[in-house]
Structure formats: structure tokens, C-alpha cells
Amino acid sequence: MPAINKIHITGFKAFPNDFELELEGKHLLMYGENGSGKSSIYYALHCIFQAPFKSDAGKKYFDIESEQHLKNIYNLEAESRIWIDFEGHHPFIYQIDKHGYNTTLMDGTHPLPANINGCFINHQFLFHFFNFRNSQNINLFPVFIKDILSFCKDEKTGLHIGEMYDDITSSIIKTGKRIDPVYISNIEYFNNSVKNVVENINIYASDIYNKYFRDNENFELQIRLRYDSNLDKPTEDPNEYWLKYDRVIEYTKENGILKEHASSYKKLNEPFIGLEISELQPNGSFRKITKPHTYFNEAKLTAIALSIRFALLNLDKPADGRFLALDDMLISLDMSNRAKVVNFLLEISDKYKIYLFTHDKMFFEYFKHKTKKNIGEWVYKEIYMNDDKTPYIRNSEDYLGQAEHFIKQHEYEVAGNFLRKAAELLCKNFLPVKWQLSTDYSRLDLNGLIQNCKRYAEESGLIDITIFEELDSFRKFILNPASHDSYDVIKYRYEVEECLFTLKSFQAIEVDSFLEYGTKLSFELKTPLPNIEKYKFEIILCDDFRVIKQPDAEPVISKGMINYRVIKNEIPGNIQSANTTIKKFYDVNYSKSDKSRSPDYLNSIIELRTEEPIGSFIL
């Protein structure tokens, strides 16, 4: 399904300079302390997806003269912009800057992929759901118009319902002294569109709450939204009505009876979306909760709000470009209630990409643990603020990223510990299992691993083994946790940074599997004149051969055990063994031949099952 590959931000909120976040089309789980920039990434996504529906195409977010500008305060002169890259599309198609949203590259239409649809939820969204005084009735229309209807698209007109509302409220269209009938028709169409959204929510919200978020010991709830016309509004609740251009109705109480009075002037009213909650009773009947915000605790109110928002998710059709962006939306819940939301999100993660941001490290680790079965589908990031007020990101699972983070935090001892862990892990990834063991089959320590890495690299034919020699020099100091006390901090930081650079170079060496154990290979050679003899070499791989790729160098196949026999003039010889590289074995025999074959062993040696040269198996 279409998904975001990169998010690029410059001069926006927490990002004074160029910042890039790579997602590789995967789900994102990001931890960041307050003020680190995680919410700025959330708002960058929100900005680029809402800007096309704004009258100014989002220019105000980048105008320092505007009260709503979101430029970074540490770099107001930056050429602020946001762009996102969707699976190979040219990134600048999806851009917003001081000129507003880019709508010029695809015939003036919104150039986002047609099926991309975002759902944004943060703690403010949930707070506004129930932020009402005890004396008030709940009106969810302000929440809907800001955070829900802007992302609900009407298939007939191609407009989002939030766009319809902005068009209607921007100016009243008259024909002479009378209201234009088309304008009244647009209001009616808008009301019916909102009514459809409300009815869709009413179909699914109760089931979502009772299935995913209800505690077993609690009663089931019926969740129902109301968006009523003035014709059927109940007299006991004068707030519930839809958008209408009419005389203003005022209400007074006379002798305890509510009476309405029409004023002489007309205007558009503020629509009202009401909320009704009914609770199942032991006798099987439902009791209406007239003011849920005064009856339920915060955890249950949050669950109700999420059930209403999630009721609009399209979970029936195959996944396309839909995503959920969620920023600290569960900060008021305990872990048991958070776990319910996590289980729901993971269950729908095949239908929606999830971009989840949190400042709670314990929750971050919990969510990461829950995704371990599908770890390849997730990107785990942590974001922090540098001393110069610029955010930086590290991979949560990466020891080198953690070492780099602690260097920036001036925690050099901690950084050295992560460098040691990284060195051990890189050595183990580089070496076959038998090279990680001593002669008595015990696990080698870091010194033994580094020495074997040097020998394995050299014997496998790597031309440049400088990295392994540098790593060995760092072993006695940086990678030895008992040897730090006699060094001053300045020198220690320099050495730690140098060790980090070496390990990053080590990390850049790719090690891939080659052909399977037992694979049969062969090649043929002839001796030179005057005594021409034909030799056929049959080889069976008997070891863990690997392809080693250093940056800017030709790949090599590692050293290992082979069984082979030589067929001289069609007479088979005995089976022999050798611990060597395939290249060296070929080169030694090629040097005795008439040189009529290619000197390149990758083209000359054939894998017998496929009859392809072994070079074709190196990706």
C-alpha cells in the first residue's frame, strides 16, 4: 500500500535547519522527551494534509507576520518547507512552504495520491471531546469540524466536508436581497453529509468500544451521536440542530417553561452534534447517561472518544494509503487501558500505517515489545534536542545510535559501553559461527572476536583490513570498561568519537549468505601447448561461505572448506579437501592453464543445478 518513505522539514516549529526522517514505507514508533521535536513531526504531517483544504493553502503557517505562523523561532529566516516522499514519487510534488500547498504539478488538483487518507489524534483532540462544564451539554461539532470532517471526503463532489463548511461560512451568497437558492442547497447538502458521517459512526462506535475497550466487569455501552434538524429537535434540548441560515432563536424560561423567541435578524448558527450514552443494566434495559462527562472517569471517556473516531476507519476494504498519526493520545491512561488501545492498533495495522509518537519511555518500550513478532514492519526512533536547540534522531535498536546519543549528552562512559556492545555485535555478524568459538568451543571474548575478524578478513581476500586494525587499537582503551579512569575527559571524548567512526565504517561492510552448504560447482581448464590436457574440477561447498562487500570495492567470497576432485582427460581423481577461498582455488589452477578461459572466477565457475556462473548469485 502507498506509504511515506521520507518526511523532510526545514524551518518549521522545532526544526530550524534541514531535518529528514526515513520511514521506508513502514510503521513508525517514536519516543521523544517534551520539547524534543516529536510533536513537530506530527504537526508537519497534519499541516501538509490539511493545507490543501485551507483558503490560503496553508501560507499562514510560514508567514512570520501571521499569528498562526509555525516557523522555527531560532531560524526565522529559513526558507521553511515540508515535503513528503511517497514510495518513489518525486518528493517536491507533496510540498508546502510560504507559497502555500503545491497544487501546480498535477493539473491544479491536490497532488497527494488519491487514496491517501490521514487520521490525526492527539491528547488535545481527546481533551476537547469532553472539556465541558457540568452545566453544559456536550457539543462535538467544534471537534468534528477541526479534526474529523476535514478528512471525510464526499465521493460525489470530491470535496472534504470541512471544505464545504469553509465555503459556506466564508460568505453568504445573495441574489438581490434574497439568499441564493444554490447557497441554501449547499447548506442542505452539507447537513446531509454530516448526517451520513454521524450515522456511520453510530453503526460501529458501540461495537468497537464493547469489543476492544470495555473492561469485562463493566456494563456494555450504547454510543450514539445526534445531528438533528430544527424540525425534529427536542424542546427540552434546544442546542441540538444542524447548520441553518435563519432568524436567531433565543430562549427564556417563564415559570419554569422554556420558550423560544425569534429575533429580527438572520445569521448562520453554529451546528450542534450531541452525544448520548446509554448503559446496559442487569435487567437487560439501557439507562441513558444524560451528561457523560460528569458520570464517567477519564479512562472511560477516552475510550468512548477513541471508539467514535475509530468508527470512521475503513476496516472492510483492502489497505491503500490510509494512516493514523497519534501523538501522546494516551497520557492520561494507566497501562492496562493503554494495552487495550495497543491491541486494537496492532490488529488494524494491516489496514492503516501507524505513526505513533510518545514521551513516555515505558509505554514506548511496551509498544516496541508488542511489535516484536512483526519487527521488520516497524521503524523505531528516538528524538532528542541538541545543545544548539536542533533535534536529532537515533535508531532505538541500534547500539551505535545510542552511543552517538550519549556522546552528544556528554555521557562518555555510557557511550563507551554501547560502543563495546556494538563492536561485539558487529564482529558476530561478520564472522561465521565457528570463527566465534575457541578451540574448546567456548565463546570468544571481544579480543578474540576482533583478532578472528582480522584473520578472517585477510584470509578471505579483503584488500583493506585497516578497520579491524583500528578496532584492535581501540579495544584496550575505549572498549575495555576498566581502563577509563586515568584519562581526562577531553581526550576520552576524542577517542570515543574516533571509535564511533571506525565502528560505523565496520557497519558499512555488508555480509550476505552465498550458496547453500552442499552446492556443487565446476569449471574446466586446459594445459598449454605442446601437451594439451583437459581438466574438469568438481567442487562441493562444505562450509558457511559468505559474500563480503566493502564500500567502493569488489565483493569477495569468504574462505571455507570445500571437497573437490579433478577429472583429468575424463579420468576421475580422488576426493580431496581444502580450506581456502574459491577465488584462490581457481587462480592457482588457472595460472597453470593455457589462459584460454576467463581469468574471472565469478564468470568461469558454474553452479551445476542452474548452470549459471556463480557471479550471478552475488546480489
Side-chain angles (χ1 to χ4, degrees):
M1 70 182 183
I4 297 174
N5 277 341
K6 293 180 182 178
I7 304 170
H8 192 103
I9 306 171
T10 301
F12 178 85
K13 289 179 76 67
F15 303 101
N17 305 310
D18 284 351
F19 172 86
E20 187 172 87
L21 173 61
E22 291 194 25
L23 301 185
E24 303 170 346
K26 300 179 180 180
H27 303 288
L28 169 68
L29 176 62
M30 174 175 280
Y31 163 78
E33 299 168 340
N34 288 327
S36 61
K38 64 175 178 57
S39 294
S40 295
I41 300 172
Y42 170 87
Y43 282 114
L45 284 172
H46 194 277
C47 178
I48 203 168
F49 277 91
Q50 279 217 325
F53 317 126
K54 300 295 183 183
S55 59
D56 69 341
K59 294 179 184 178
K60 62 188 175 185
Y61 298 132
F62 299 89
D63 181 5
I64 60 176
E65 302 298 326
S66 168
E67 292 183 359
Q68 295 176 290
H69 84 84
L70 298 173
K71 288 173 71 75
N72 181 271
I73 61 173
Y74 295 103
N75 193 0
L76 291 175
E77 302 304 318
E79 285 296 320
S80 303
R81 65 183 180 124
I82 304 166
W83 60 257
I84 54 177
D85 173 14
F86 273 94
E87 291 192 324
H89 293 278
H90 192 281
F92 293 100
I93 292 178
Y94 319 106
Q95 177 174 309
I96 181 172
D97 56 24
K98 65 183 179 182
H99 303 295
Y101 192 78
N102 187 338
T103 58
T104 61
L105 296 182
M106 296 179 69
D107 301 323
T109 61
H110 304 152
L112 288 169
N115 292 325
I116 298 298
N117 192 310
C119 169
F120 293 87
I121 305 176
N122 62 3
H123 59 284
Q124 291 180 341
F125 171 87
L126 297 173
F127 173 76
H128 290 308
F129 236 85
F130 296 104
N131 184 31
F132 299 94
R133 295 192 300 271
N134 290 350
S135 60
Q136 291 179 297
N137 291 313
I138 292 175
N139 178 15
L140 295 179
F141 185 81
V143 177
F144 268 63
I145 200 61
K146 181 178 183 296
D147 292 307
I148 296 179
L149 297 179
S150 295
F151 301 99
C152 294
K153 190 175 183 179
D154 175 64
E155 297 301 328
K156 183 177 180 180
T157 63
L159 296 174
H160 289 73
I161 300 176
E163 288 182 275
M164 297 182 195
Y165 185 73
D166 289 341
D167 289 342
I168 291 170
T169 56
S170 60
S171 62
I172 297 172
I173 303 173
K174 295 184 178 182
T175 302
K177 294 183 178 180
R178 305 188 60 168
I179 304 300
D180 192 313
V182 174
Y183 182 74
I184 298 299
S185 176
N186 289 343
I187 293 176
E188 182 179 351
Y189 193 91
F190 167 80
N191 284 326
N192 285 318
S193 298
V194 176
K195 186 75 171 178
N196 288 335
V197 171
V198 166
E199 288 175 349
N200 283 333
I201 290 173
N202 289 340
I203 292 172
Y204 299 106
S206 300
D207 289 341
I208 290 175
Y209 173 85
N210 292 318
K211 179 178 180 181
Y212 293 101
F213 304 140
R214 180 179 66 88
D215 289 326
N216 292 331
E217 65 274 14
N218 290 341
F219 295 126
E220 291 186 7
L221 297 182
Q222 282 186 349
I223 301 171
R224 180 174 179 264
L225 298 178
R226 294 188 61 174
Y227 188 65
D228 300 320
S229 72
N230 288 39
L231 297 176
D232 58 7
K233 76 177 193 306
T235 56
E236 69 273 12
D237 190 355
N239 291 308
E240 295 193 7
Y241 48 80
W242 55 21
L243 183 64
K244 187 175 182 181
Y245 182 77
D246 204 350
R247 287 186 172 87
V248 175
I249 306 298
E250 297 174 346
Y251 296 87
T252 60
K253 275 190 176 182
E254 298 179 10
N255 298 322
I257 300 174
L258 197 65
K259 292 189 176 182
E260 60 180 51
H261 308 276
S263 66
S264 59
Y265 65 97
K266 296 182 178 181
K267 72 170 187 177
L268 281 169
N269 64 286
E270 181 185 23
F272 194 103
I273 295 179
L275 173 65
E276 288 184 354
I277 305 291
S278 297
E279 189 175 52
L280 182 66
Q281 300 300 294
N283 62 7
S285 64
F286 280 90
R287 180 168 68 92
K288 182 178 178 181
I289 310 300
T290 56
K291 293 184 177 180
H293 54 301
T294 66
Y295 181 79
F296 295 118
N297 61 29
E298 189 170 3
K300 190 164 290 188
L301 292 174
T302 298
I304 292 170
L306 291 175
S307 300
I308 290 171
R309 185 61 186 93
F310 291 155
L312 287 174
L313 300 182
N314 188 345
L315 303 179
D316 298 325
K317 295 182 179 180
D320 48 29
R322 303 183 294 266
F323 69 86
L324 276 68
L326 313 169
D327 181 30
D328 269 339
M329 67 174 191
L330 306 177
I331 55 177
S332 62
L333 300 185
D334 59 27
M335 192 56 75
S336 63
N337 283 296
R338 293 183 185 189
K340 298 172 190 174
V341 180
V342 170
N343 290 337
F344 173 80
L345 293 175
L346 295 180
E347 185 166 323
I348 67 168
S349 62
D350 62 331
K351 298 293 191 296
Y352 280 78
K353 285 294 180 186
I354 296 171
Y355 309 128
L356 190 147
F357 307 86
T358 180
H359 77 277
D360 187 327
K361 193 63 184 289
M362 184 172 70
F363 176 63
F364 172 80
E365 295 296 339
Y366 171 78
F367 202 118
K368 186 163 61 173
H369 171 74
K370 294 288 287 185
T371 61
K372 287 296 184 183
K373 291 183 180 179
N374 306 102
I375 193 169
E377 300 173 8
W378 287 82
V379 172
Y380 307 106
K381 301 286 185 180
E382 297 183 28
I383 187 167
Y384 297 90
M385 188 66 72
N386 256 326
D387 293 339
D388 61 357
K389 303 299 182 183
T390 58
Y392 68 91
I393 278 183
R394 68 183 178 104
N395 294 327
S396 180
E397 293 274 316
D398 186 85
Y399 289 138
L400 291 182
Q402 296 192 56
E404 191 167 17
H405 162 67
F406 284 109
I407 291 172
K408 291 177 180 179
Q409 300 293 320
H410 312 298
E411 296 284 352
Y412 307 123
E413 298 284 346
V414 180
N417 188 42
F418 280 111
L419 290 174
R420 180 181 178 85
K421 291 181 179 181
E424 290 177 349
L425 181 61
L426 289 169
C427 288
K428 290 175 182 177
N429 290 339
F430 183 73
L431 293 170
V433 173
K434 70 177 185 179
W435 285 75
Q436 300 174 30
L437 304 175
S438 65
T439 53
D440 62 355
Y441 299 101
S442 61
R443 292 282 180 181
L444 292 173
D445 60 13
L446 181 57
N447 176 40
L449 290 172
I450 293 175
Q451 302 309 320
N452 273 10
C453 281
K454 288 170 59 179
R455 187 163 61 89
Y456 181 69
E458 192 170 26
E459 293 181 5
S460 294
L462 265 67
I463 297 173
D464 184 2
I465 61 168
T466 307
I467 289 172
F468 305 101
E469 292 172 343
E470 291 177 353
L471 193 59
D472 191 29
S473 70
F474 288 123
R475 174 183 54 82
K476 298 176 182 179
F477 172 41
I478 298 299
L479 303 178
N480 182 351
S483 64
H484 299 160
D485 293 341
S486 60
Y487 292 85
D488 58 61
V489 172
I490 296 176
K491 184 176 181 182
Y492 188 33
R493 171 164 187 162
Y494 172 77
E495 296 287 350
V496 168
E497 290 175 335
E498 288 294 301
C499 183
L500 174 65
F501 178 80
T502 296
L503 286 171
K504 283 186 174 182
S505 299
F506 190 2
Q507 190 179 47
I509 299 175
E510 296 182 32
V511 181
D512 300 320
S513 296
F514 187 49
L515 294 167
E516 295 179 355
Y517 182 97
T519 298
K520 296 180 179 180
L521 312 175
S522 75
F523 64 91
E524 296 181 1
L525 296 171
K526 292 187 298 184
T527 57
L529 294 171
N531 300 318
I532 299 177
E533 294 180 317
K534 294 182 179 180
Y535 289 84
K536 182 177 181 181
F537 297 82
E538 294 181 343
I539 304 169
I540 300 177
L541 302 184
C542 302
D543 216 333
D544 183 11
F545 285 86
R546 295 163 159 222
V547 179
I548 305 174
K549 304 174 187 175
Q550 282 182 302
D552 303 320
E554 291 295 322
V556 301
I557 300 174
S558 65
K559 182 179 180 179
M561 290 295 301
I562 61 171
N563 287 339
Y564 71 93
R565 72 174 178 176
V566 182
I567 302 173
K568 179 180 177 181
N569 296 324
E570 299 185 358
I571 301 174
N574 296 326
I575 300 293
Q576 303 178 65
S577 298
N579 185 20
T580 184
T581 67
I582 299 174
K583 181 181 186 307
K584 184 176 180 181
F585 184 81
Y586 180 81
D587 287 349
V588 167
N589 290 287
Y590 178 80
S591 66
K592 304 172 186 176
S593 74
D594 65 353
K595 311 295 192 301
S596 60
R597 294 281 184 173
S598 169
D600 185 353
Y601 78 107
L602 295 175
N603 290 327
S604 298
I605 301 178
I606 303 300
E607 195 273 327
L608 290 180
R609 185 179 62 84
T610 62
E611 298 185 351
E612 294 289 335
I614 62 173
S616 64
F617 295 91
I618 298 177
L619 301 178

